[in-house]
Amino acid sequence: MRDERFMRIALIEAGLSQKEGEVPVGAVIVKGEEIISLSHNMTAKNKNSLAHAEMIAINEASTILGSERLTECEMFVTLEPCAMCAGAILNSRLKRAVFGAYDPLNGFLGSVIDLLQYSTYKKTEVIGGVLEKDCREILRVFFEMMRKSK
């Protein structure tokens, strides 16, 4: 399936985060069948709390497409976006946001709250749970390793 194909690419990006000691989250923005941007978490590397995979991907896609509006684009991200990233998805007007693992503590596309339901903008379609097991497993392994190293 198409969503799974792009989520597998996001998982590769999440793996890059993990290798860099970052929380393993990856994001991909596509327009049609073309990948516009790829990213992964870089908060520690960049010493910047805004450097979430989603924020980097949106910034790169906007630069590449020359527009702050990504109305013809979709995001595939391995973990349900936090409040900041859900807000960026809302403001960039992404057509679809597809995520893997639900985040019951910090997920703002339905788990804690659905931030997008409060938007006056055209609604972004949200799909959750795509390759959820794989997306959850990379996070489980990362946090298990972090606990053991302490």
Side-chain angles (χ1 to χ4, degrees):
M1 289 174 34
R2 182 177 181 277
D3 287 356
E4 290 178 358
R5 178 168 41 100
F6 287 118
M7 189 61 73
R8 287 188 198 290
I9 296 168
L11 276 163
I12 292 168
E13 284 293 314
L16 296 175
S17 287
Q18 187 174 32
K19 287 178 184 173
E20 296 172 1
E22 301 274 359
V23 175
V25 177
V28 177
I29 293 182
V30 301
K31 183 177 181 183
E33 295 300 314
E34 179 185 0
I35 294 173
I36 304 300
S37 64
L38 299 163
S39 65
H40 56 275
N41 276 355
M42 292 190 234
T43 56
K45 179 181 178 180
N46 292 355
K47 297 183 180 17
N48 183 338
S49 61
L50 302 178
H52 288 200
E54 302 96 322
M55 301 294 283
I56 296 166
I58 288 170
N59 187 53
E60 287 180 4
S62 293
T63 299
I64 289 165
L65 296 174
S67 176
E68 75 278 14
R69 303 283 188 260
L70 302 176
T71 56
E72 299 301 315
C73 296
E74 302 163 89
M75 175 183 285
F76 296 84
V77 61
T78 57
L79 181 63
E80 182 180 359
C82 68
M84 172 180 71
C85 295
I89 288 167
L90 187 151
N91 284 316
S92 64
R93 316 291 205 286
L94 282 161
K95 178 170 61 173
R96 289 177 79 221
V98 179
F99 66 87
Y102 287 86
D103 187 346
L105 300 177
N106 296 298
F108 277 75
L109 291 185
S111 288
V112 174
I113 194 169
D114 180 2
L115 187 64
L116 301 186
Q117 79 176 1
Y118 299 101
S119 172
T120 58
Y121 307 138
K122 183 180 174 194
K123 299 293 185 218
T124 298
E125 179 186 2
V126 176
I127 307 291
V130 174
L131 296 180
E132 181 176 12
K133 183 179 176 185
D134 296 335
C135 293
R136 186 165 305 290
E137 181 65 9
I138 193 170
L139 289 161
R140 186 195 66 74
V141 168
F142 173 78
F143 286 113
E144 185 177 284
M145 288 181 359
M146 292 295 287
R147 283 190 294 275
K148 285 181 181 177
S149 70
K150 288 186 178 184

